[in-house]
Amino acid sequence: MPAEPKTARRAAANPAIADRVPRDAPGVREIGFSLPARYNASALLFDNLANAAGRCAITGPAGTRSYDELCGEAAQFGRALSQLGLRRGDRVLLFLDDTPAYPAALFGAIRAGLVPLLINTLTPPDLLRFYIEDSGARVGVTDASFADRFNAEACGAMLRHLVVVNGDAPAEAPVATLTAQRWLAQVPRALDAADTRRDDMAFWMYSSGSTGRPKGIVHLQHDMAYTAQSYARHILKLGADDICFSVPKIFFAYGLGNSLTFPFSVGACSVLMPGQPRPAAVFDTISRFQPTVFFGLPTLYTALTKASEAKTAELGSLRLAISAAEILSADVFSAWKALSGLEIIEGLGSTEQLHIYLSNTAEAKKPGAAGQRVPGYELKLLDRENRAVADGEEGILWVRGDSSAPCYWNRPDKTAETMRDEGWVYTGDRFVRDSQGFHFFQGRADDLVKVSGQWVYPLEVERCLAEHPAVRECAVLAVTLPDQRTSLTAVVVMNEPQFDPAQATTQLQDYVKKALLPYKYPRSIVYVDELPKTGTGKIDRQALLKRHAEAAD
């Protein structure tokens, strides 16, 4: 197994290092967050045995589990993984769809003192091998439908065992395979929590790698509990009778909180929907399982409001609709309200902070704003010389809260860039804050490009185009021309399938020139039927840039 870097070992083992946010920091004091020095994150699930053992923990198309049943399956997973020779702190790669097997494997591994990796199931074999080698994972857990992804290229020399859930293990594989149903059958359904510290490693997620090699984002045992006491308690206000349904998957930090952390923290129920989030499947799941709190993304809300099934959708069970990750347009906000009667509550977070730290609320909201500071987090806007900016002025956002990752695994350079002194995290996102504390996203600090001698932020142009009534969704890219000049290209999905491209291009370009400044218009516009999406539902800008480069060749 690759040697653990000194910084990461200390972050996992030394509370003085791992406690990157001072215990008396204003955000921590504000929400009264306190856990014992010895704490294991599986308590989020297992503590429900005392008062909610018979209540529904998980339901959905793949099956239903009470808290007692799910804890039993998690205990079996933790015991069985340890019997494969894994020791405290060893990594286990989870490559799973959203079924009851996911929380069982995740919390079972954590309870046994192991460190699960939550991996995007759209990952190809070559990147899967990078995750295995970077983390040193010797055991993987996957759905039968994904087992073929673990070929010789993916497994390499590091992975030793592959556990297959929701089906049989393949007859031939480059590593030893185990069918979970048989493997767990005789394993006891009880397991004491490993004697972990609140600041020990609990699990990892990986960044998308859109700006380079993916980074392993380390989270500690207390981080999930912190997000529950900050965001879930103050924004969602969940009760034991709530039923949460997150379309974003568990491997996404946003989805992990929505589907598992938050409902488990109050003994509520969560709906897990495997497979692709097609509108028909989403509407059917809402109708069948009657969730009260719904979590989506702007691209999902767009698809739902435009779908033919929307006309007959049964959404009466919902009391709250949440959106995050990307900017929510006024058109989508209005369309969802007309469809469901609910106003979408928009927020913004990051994998480094594990969940949302800026949010609107049902009582305080502004269209186009990422929201106000979530209790438990501190925010500051600084200019490029690290000086505080006033309300109404643009600055780069810094955030601090006790759920922030202490480091990127094996990446001391990137850790130093992002995780700063006293727990402050440099987000690289530009915002303007108004006098009421609402923050308005302006783009990335590093996406300023020069077009025709003038500086332009592509996101500003994208947001402008998105407001045109003929545009369903769009992305604006900065592209390099053969003569090395930079230009803006818009990739647009129109609302109506029949239109004249030349006429539409003139109209959209003129619209941007008038709404912004003449030089900011996109020099070319490409029309597509659908924009590519990442596994977390965001627009896949890297895929669009790759398509543009291939088309140029």
Side-chain angles (χ1 to χ4, degrees):
M1 182 181 299
E4 296 181 2
K6 181 179 179 181
T7 54
R9 284 204 307 274
R10 294 175 70 192
N14 187 336
I17 299 297
D19 187 22
R20 61 278 185 215
V21 175
R23 294 283 161 84
D24 62 347
V28 180
R29 293 201 314 269
E30 178 183 24
I31 62 172
F33 184 71
S34 178
L35 288 175
R38 299 286 172 173
Y39 177 78
N40 183 278
S42 68
L44 276 167
L45 170 62
F46 282 80
D47 280 359
N48 286 292
L49 288 176
N51 300 308
R55 292 180 62 90
C56 173
I58 295 292
T59 191
T64 298
R65 302 289 190 277
S66 67
Y67 276 102
D68 181 59
E69 292 168 332
L70 187 57
C71 288
E73 293 177 9
Q76 288 179 308
F77 255 105
R79 281 181 175 273
L81 288 168
S82 297
Q83 291 170 4
L84 293 178
L86 298 179
R87 299 169 298 172
R88 279 272 301 272
D90 282 350
R91 269 70 72 188
V92 178
L93 186 142
L94 304 185
F95 201 78
L96 296 167
D97 205 346
D98 284 13
T99 74
Y102 209 141
L106 174 67
F107 284 99
I110 292 173
R111 195 164 184 83
L114 306 174
V115 179
L117 318 175
L118 285 65
I119 301 299
N120 188 329
T121 56
L122 295 180
T123 300
D126 61 330
L127 187 55
L128 193 51
R129 178 166 181 159
F130 166 76
Y131 293 146
I132 291 169
E133 293 179 345
D134 183 63
S135 66
R138 291 182 290 130
V139 176
V141 184
T142 186
D143 277 277
S145 58
F146 302 139
D148 60 352
R149 211 78 60 86
F150 289 81
N151 56 24
E153 178 187 13
C155 294
M158 181 67 66
L159 202 73
R160 304 291 177 81
H161 292 90
L162 183 65
V163 179
V164 179
V165 303
N166 298 320
D168 292 330
E172 296 183 7
V175 297
T177 58
L178 301 160
T179 298
Q181 186 174 2
R182 293 192 292 271
W183 179 58
L184 300 174
Q186 303 304 316
V187 178
R189 295 174 60 86
L191 175 65
D192 291 335
D195 186 26
T196 51
R197 290 172 287 249
R198 53 160 279 155
D199 298 309
D200 284 349
M201 289 193 298
F203 61 95
W204 301 3
M205 294 174 161
Y206 272 87
S207 67
S208 64
S210 59
T211 58
R213 186 157 56 100
K215 301 181 291 290
I217 300 172
V218 174
H219 276 290
L220 309 183
Q221 297 288 343
H222 72 272
D223 290 353
M224 283 192 283
Y226 192 83
T227 62
Q229 196 158 336
S230 56
Y231 177 80
R233 178 181 175 187
H234 291 89
I235 308 301
L236 301 180
K237 301 175 182 177
L238 295 177
D241 292 331
D242 272 308
I243 302 173
C244 297
F245 176 27
S246 175
V247 177
K249 300 288 188 177
I250 294 171
F251 63 70
F252 184 20
Y254 178 48
L256 172 66
N258 304 339
S259 291
L260 304 183
T261 305
F262 302 154
F264 289 178
S265 72
V266 296
C269 182
S270 179
V271 178
L272 298 185
M273 187 188 82
Q276 294 295 315
R278 305 189 190 284
V282 173
F283 284 132
D284 179 64
T285 300
I286 294 173
S287 175
R288 290 174 59 193
F289 299 98
Q290 298 288 291
T292 58
V293 183
F294 181 73
F295 302 89
L297 303 168
T299 50
L300 173 71
Y301 284 110
T302 299
L304 293 177
T305 56
K306 299 289 185 181
S308 59
E309 295 86 358
K311 297 176 182 178
T312 57
E314 299 177 12
L315 305 175
S317 66
L318 301 178
R319 70 169 181 84
L320 199 60
I322 307 294
S323 181
E326 291 188 310
I327 296 169
L328 183 72
S329 73
D331 287 346
V332 175
F333 178 91
S334 299
W336 178 259
K337 184 177 180 180
L339 176 64
S340 67
L342 297 173
E343 294 184 339
I344 299 172
I345 305 301
E346 184 176 6
L348 182 137
S350 69
T351 305
E352 284 81 359
Q353 292 293 343
L354 193 55
H355 211 269
I356 291 172
Y357 50 79
L358 269 173
S359 184
N360 292 275
T361 67
E363 298 77 24
K365 51 188 174 295
K366 286 190 177 181
Q372 297 171 307
R373 179 185 65 85
V374 170
Y377 293 94
E378 300 170 72
L379 307 175
K380 58 185 179 182
L381 290 182
L382 305 180
D383 63 18
R384 293 180 183 274
E385 283 71 46
N386 290 338
R387 297 171 301 200
V389 302
D391 292 346
E393 296 181 0
E394 184 180 289
I396 300 172
L397 182 70
W398 296 64
V399 59
R400 181 167 75 168
D402 207 19
S403 62
S404 62
C407 65
Y408 296 122
W409 185 256
N410 272 336
R411 301 296 298 275
D413 54 335
K414 293 298 183 181
T415 297
E417 287 178 14
T418 304
M419 289 80 170
R420 306 292 180 90
D421 293 341
E422 296 187 315
W424 285 101
V425 172
Y426 172 83
T427 69
D429 292 330
R430 296 180 296 110
F431 281 88
V432 171
R433 179 190 59 237
D434 71 11
S435 61
Q436 295 176 295
F438 284 90
H439 289 67
F440 295 82
F441 182 59
Q442 304 299 306
R444 293 286 299 169
D446 55 2
D447 67 359
L448 187 66
V449 297
K450 185 169 281 189
V451 178
S452 298
Q454 303 282 346
W455 290 108
V456 182
Y457 283 107
L459 181 63
E460 180 187 19
V461 181
E462 182 177 309
R463 293 173 69 177
C464 178
L465 274 177
E467 295 300 320
H468 193 283
V471 174
R472 179 174 178 180
E473 60 178 348
C474 64
V476 173
L477 311 173
V479 299
T480 303
L481 302 175
D483 61 5
Q484 299 307 302
R485 288 183 298 119
T486 300
S487 182
L488 294 184
T489 292
V491 185
V492 174
V493 180
M494 299 290 277
N495 276 321
E496 299 299 332
Q498 302 298 324
F499 64 94
D500 181 281
Q503 184 179 5
T505 296
T506 299
Q507 290 177 346
L508 294 178
Q509 289 175 330
D510 288 346
Y511 179 79
V512 173
K513 290 177 184 178
K514 292 176 182 177
L516 301 177
L517 290 170
Y519 67 85
K520 294 185 178 183
Y521 76 95
R523 278 18 179 210
S524 65
I525 299 180
V526 178
Y527 299 97
V528 297
D529 294 330
E530 187 176 1
L531 294 178
K533 304 297 194 301
T534 66
T536 55
K538 297 181 182 180
I539 295 172
D540 191 338
R541 299 175 193 277
Q542 291 300 113
L544 287 173
L545 285 169
K546 183 178 179 181
R547 287 184 189 177
H548 182 273
E550 291 172 347
D553 291 341

